[in-house]
Amino acid sequence: MGSTQTEKTIIGWAARDSSGVLSPYEYTLRNTGPEDVYIKVICCGVCHTDIHQVKNDLGMSHYPMVPGHEVVGEVVEVGSQVTKFKVGDIVGAGCIVGSCRNCNPCKSDNEQYCNRKIWSYNDVYTDKKPTQGGFAEAMVVDQKFVVHIPEGMVPEQAAPLLCAGVTVYSPLNHFGLTQSGLKGAILGLGGVGHMGVKIAKAMGHHVTVVSSSDKKREEALDHLGADNYLVSSDAEKMQENFDSFDYIIDTIPVFHPLEPYLSLLKLDGKLILMGVINTPLQFVTPMVMLGRKSITGSFIGSMKETEEMLEFCKEKNLTSTIEIVKMDYVNKALERLEKNDVRYRFVVDVAGSKLDGQ
């Protein structure tokens, strides 16, 4: 696998243009620096953000691009100053692989809000080379942005927790919404939404899934353990749930009106936005003013929260609901994900795939 003195040539699957089609791509990783961990990738989750990036939906994509930011792998090499990890450890890496370390967010364990954070892919690292993600044989990551996967947790189950899991855990933790007895709603039952149901239930909350149709009712209630299911187009049922919820986690990644959901919040209730949307959302101000309600957002979570979330999931025996695929299926997986045709997260078996495409 190389040494700390040599660059490593590896294969990943990259998009070359905004078609978003991935195919084998050979590139080099940087030398393993003093605080770096060289990780052989075992598996990587597929997130809706990967679609936005490979298709340049946000207008900021650079190619060739190897996506993937829910990475679980085995440590095969460590730098001379690495203290947290050793060869053989099973570890995870998420959306961020660098930050300035000096700003207020960084100093307060909120490095995900650093204005100089470095994304795990579609960015430029401190060595001026492009960052590439986890749809590849290996990654080199600074130890600060790597976490231990708890012993006994299956790598494929852990991968989606590194984005979908912590994305839900972080706002509940930050906004003081962890005590039992709260009443919450989850909008959208995809990768993030299904983890929202599981984590909120494990915290002792009464959880309602809100969806645009009835097709996921059985899944939400019988398989994920939600307490209630609400179809947003059912005006009578929506009215029955008026002024009901302490919080709403909105995971919908496409344009949608906010007013119907704001009306469901109690006094001081919070609508927490998590879906990445490239068009403006709209609401009328009295919907917020008359209940002292908050519309806020949250972005993944800190490294500290990621570690806490993994331990929480281990303690509560929480797992993500996944469909494991090989890399040669990844383009089909992206197509299906765009159509919301997955329960509820694809995970690519990278180590078990032939990455050269042969």
Side-chain angles (χ1 to χ4, degrees), residues 226-339:
D227 299 286
N228 192 20
Y229 189 92
L230 185 59
V231 178
S232 57
S233 59
D234 187 333
E236 182 178 345
K237 292 294 184 183
M238 289 287 283
Q239 181 61 33
E240 288 178 10
N241 284 272
F242 174 80
D243 194 25
S244 293
F245 299 108
D246 296 291
Y247 66 87
I248 297 173
I249 292 177
D250 183 348
T251 74
I252 301 172
V254 295
F255 176 83
H256 56 286
L258 297 184
E259 280 94 343
Y261 309 114
L262 287 169
S263 68
L264 302 178
L265 289 170
K266 294 179 181 177
L267 174 67
D268 291 327
K270 289 179 171 58
L271 175 63
I272 305 168
L273 299 175
M274 292 183 179
V276 177
I277 303 170
N278 59 1
T279 52
L281 297 179
Q282 296 176 326
F283 62 95
V284 292
T285 56
M287 296 296 297
V288 174
M289 296 162 56
L290 296 177
R292 203 166 57 197
K293 301 170 185 178
S294 301
I295 300 174
T296 187
S298 181
F299 175 64
I300 50 170
S302 67
M303 301 312 299
K304 181 180 178 182
E305 286 174 322
T306 303
E307 291 171 340
E308 291 174 359
M309 175 275 306
L310 287 170
E311 289 300 326
F312 176 83
C313 289
K314 179 184 178 182
E315 176 189 344
K316 301 293 186 179
N317 197 29
L318 298 183
T319 59
S320 47
T321 302
I322 60 174
E323 182 176 335
I324 300 173
V325 300
K326 302 294 186 183
M327 189 66 80
D328 60 8
Y329 190 81
V330 72
N331 288 306
K332 182 65 175 179
L334 290 169
E335 289 179 14
R336 286 180 53 194
L337 176 58
E338 199 162 21
K339 298 174 184 176

Side-chain angles (χ1 to χ4, degrees), residues 2-235:
S3 72
T4 56
Q5 302 304 314
T6 59
E7 291 186 335
K8 298 94 171 168
T9 299
I10 67 165
I11 298 175
W13 276 49
R16 268 63 170 202
D17 53 44
S18 60
S19 69
V21 176
L22 306 182
S23 59
Y25 170 60
E26 187 174 279
Y27 60 102
T28 58
L29 296 177
R30 70 175 185 274
N31 295 340
T32 307
E35 295 195 20
D36 285 336
V37 178
Y38 183 34
I39 303 167
K40 179 182 178 182
V41 177
I42 296 172
C43 59
C44 185
V46 183
C47 176
H48 209 281
T49 300
D50 295 325
I51 296 174
H52 287 306
Q53 293 286 12
V54 298
K55 291 196 169 185
N56 198 26
D57 289 344
L58 304 178
M60 299 181 291
S61 296
H62 301 279
Y63 305 98
M65 179 200 302
V66 178
H69 59 256
E70 299 178 342
V71 187
V72 176
E74 179 183 352
V75 175
V76 295
E77 184 177 271
V78 296
S80 59
Q81 296 177 25
V82 170
T83 57
K84 292 176 60 179
F85 306 98
K86 65 183 185 302
V87 171
D89 286 348
I90 304 301
V91 300
C95 297
I96 298 173
V97 295
S99 68
C100 78
R101 314 286 182 100
N102 296 314
C103 65
N104 286 334
C106 284
K107 290 179 178 179
S108 62
D109 289 324
N110 287 294
E111 62 279 340
Q112 73 272 32
Y113 298 113
C114 173
N115 289 326
R116 292 165 59 193
K117 59 183 168 287
I118 301 173
W119 305 103
S120 55
Y121 68 88
N122 195 36
D123 207 345
V124 177
Y125 200 64
T126 55
D127 61 0
K128 308 303 181 186
K129 292 183 178 180
T131 59
Q132 303 289 9
F135 291 2
E137 292 177 295
M139 292 179 71
V140 176
V141 185
D142 187 297
Q143 66 172 338
K144 176 176 173 56
F145 298 93
V146 178
V147 294
H148 284 283
I149 300 302
E151 187 174 350
M153 188 174 282
V154 178
E156 290 82 2
Q157 291 286 351
L161 301 179
L162 299 169
C163 177
V166 74
T167 293
V168 173
Y169 180 89
S170 178
L172 293 176
N173 177 61
H174 174 75
F175 292 117
L177 298 169
T178 58
Q179 67 269 34
S180 63
L182 294 180
K183 195 171 182 181
I186 309 293
L187 304 189
L189 201 57
V192 175
H194 97 282
M195 285 309 306
V197 175
K198 292 185 176 189
I199 288 175
K201 283 296 297 178
M203 289 179 175
H205 298 179
H206 182 284
V207 179
T208 296
V209 170
V210 184
S211 187
S212 58
S213 73
D214 213 38
K215 67 179 182 179
K216 292 185 177 180
R217 180 183 295 273
E218 181 180 351
E219 183 74 22
L221 299 177
D222 296 343
H223 297 282
L224 296 178
D227 299 286
N228 192 20
Y229 189 92
L230 185 59
V231 178
S232 57
S233 59
D234 187 333

Side-chain angles (χ1 to χ4, degrees), residues 155 247 354 356:
Y247 66 87
K354 294 182 178 179
D356 60 6

